[in-house]
Amino acid sequence: MIIIADGGSTKTNWCLVTEDGKKVYFNTEGYNPYFSSTDYIIQSLKESLPTDLEKDKITEVNYYGAGCSTPEMRKIVEDAMQAVFTKSRIYIGHDLLAAARALLGNNEGFAAILGTGTNTCLYNGREVINNIDSGAYILGDEGSGCHIGKKLLVDYLRGYMPEAVRKNFWETFKLTPDDINEIVYTQPRANRFCASFSKFVYDNIVNIEYSRNLVRTSFEDFFRNLVTHYPDYQKYTFNCIGSVGYNFRNVLEEVCTENGMTVGNIIRSPIDNLVKYHLELAPSQL
């Protein structure tokens, strides 16, 4: 039996492929090694993996995760996976490679992630060949759920939010400016906290124009800083994975067209396509 997993900063989607080809899906929290230690990942997996999962019968784990972009960061996750799946061969890859493989298979092109965080790349059909550093949630991650959430929170803190939206925000969350600053600057995983407010933006109907403009300016920042600097970027179709790109795809498609790119695939999660890639396009890795 083998496992294929796609891990974001918020959630990890897992698929167990049994010996007879049956696929079993389950979820755990996300494990970004910049925020989660090996010990933390081990403990979380022990608590959240299905109790009937026969770990000793799993021969291979293919895990793609947010933050797994350097050997040092991959080692944090690899050690945790090896401690849990003791009889498995462990492969740790970057979630950007998972996105490219899920969106493009063995074809070259442009691939992006727009979820809690953001990332982009050019892919040659085998590996990522060009990547503009997203800057992560403090320095960059334009277009992400975290970026949209931060823009919303800044408007709330500064009093720029339209009154009807501000009233709705207060009634929904009961958060004062002091509460927000304390959570962001003193508690762990501020990126998840900020990203959680993108759902409020999506659900907000008291001022649709405000919400739409918030998302649009975030996507404009995303294209200006993380897409248009790729050489000849307009020759590629725009392919994207992630809940933010999927939920706000109407606005994303508008901004994409304005920047001279043709829209390709925009999907919520890579897991199904990633499983297909491993089972059909990359059998030598199994």
Side-chain angles (χ1 to χ4, degrees):
M1 297 193 295
I2 68 170
I3 281 180
I4 298 106
D6 170 65
S9 291
T10 301
K11 182 176 72 171
T12 300
N13 296 311
W14 303 75
C15 179
L16 170 71
V17 183
T18 65
E19 293 174 349
D20 59 0
K22 181 181 178 182
K23 299 171 187 173
V24 181
Y25 294 88
F26 52 93
N27 301 318
T28 66
E29 68 173 302
Y31 306 113
N32 188 320
Y34 282 95
F35 312 123
S36 300
S37 67
T38 295
D39 288 342
Y40 178 89
I41 297 171
I42 292 171
Q43 186 61 35
S44 175
L45 289 174
K46 287 181 177 179
E47 294 174 355
S48 56
L49 288 174
T51 56
D52 60 349
L53 184 64
E54 298 178 287
K55 295 187 286 292
D56 288 346
K57 293 185 178 180
I58 296 169
T59 59
E60 181 170 317
V61 174
N62 296 280
Y63 178 92
Y64 300 83
C68 297
S69 55
T70 67
E72 294 78 15
M73 292 298 105
R74 287 193 292 272
K75 187 70 163 54
I76 291 172
V77 180
E78 181 181 359
D79 288 348
M81 296 294 163
Q82 198 68 73
V84 174
F85 303 100
T86 57
K87 296 184 178 180
S88 301
R89 185 186 73 83
I90 307 295
Y91 169 79
I92 306 296
H94 196 204
D95 64 342
L96 187 57
L97 179 59
R101 287 178 168 178
L103 288 163
L104 298 165
N106 288 335
N107 300 312
E108 66 175 18
F110 172 91
I113 296 172
L114 281 170
T116 299
T118 298
N119 219 330
T120 58
C121 73
L122 296 182
Y123 173 71
N124 68 0
R126 297 179 304 279
E127 59 188 2
V128 172
I129 57 171
N130 195 347
N131 166 237
I132 297 172
D133 197 314
S134 72
Y137 80 100
I138 292 178
L139 299 178
D141 266 358
E142 294 92 328
S144 68
C146 184
H147 190 249
I148 292 169
K150 285 195 297 183
K151 290 169 72 67
L152 180 82
L153 293 175
V154 167
D155 280 359
Y156 180 68
L157 295 174
R158 294 175 176 169
Y160 298 162
M161 193 179 278
E163 184 57 34
V165 180
R166 185 178 182 85
K167 180 181 178 181
N168 189 17
F169 182 93
W170 170 254
E171 291 174 348
T172 302
F173 302 110
K174 296 293 192 294
L175 288 170
T176 67
D178 286 343
D179 292 333
I180 292 169
N181 281 316
E182 180 181 358
I183 293 170
V184 169
Y185 293 108
T186 69
Q187 297 187 21
R189 296 175 177 81
N191 61 323
R192 291 189 193 175
F193 173 74
C194 293
S196 69
F197 293 98
S198 64
K199 185 178 186 303
F200 174 82
V201 176
Y202 180 74
D203 292 338
N204 173 49
I205 60 173
V206 299
N207 191 323
I208 295 175
E209 182 180 357
Y210 168 77
S211 296
R212 185 178 180 84
N213 185 62
L214 198 72
V215 174
R216 168 175 272 278
T217 56
S218 186
F219 285 160
E220 288 171 347
D221 291 343
F222 165 71
F223 268 87
R224 180 170 57 252
N225 296 323
L226 295 172
V227 179
T228 61
H229 290 276
Y230 286 104
D232 301 319
Y233 74 95
Q234 292 175 325
K235 77 176 185 179
Y236 302 104
T237 59
F238 179 86
N239 304 285
C240 172
I241 272 175
S243 59
V244 172
Y246 184 83
N247 290 337
F248 296 111
R249 60 190 177 280
N250 291 340
V251 180
L252 179 60
E253 288 172 358
E254 289 179 4
V255 179
C256 182
T257 300
E258 290 169 4
N259 281 273
M261 292 186 80
T262 301
V263 178
N265 297 317
I266 298 178
I267 62 178
R268 182 186 296 273
S269 169
I271 190 64
D272 288 327
N273 288 1
L274 195 57
V275 170
K276 180 179 180 181
Y277 174 88
H278 274 277
L279 295 181
E280 299 179 11
L281 302 180
S284 61
Q285 295 189 20
L286 297 181

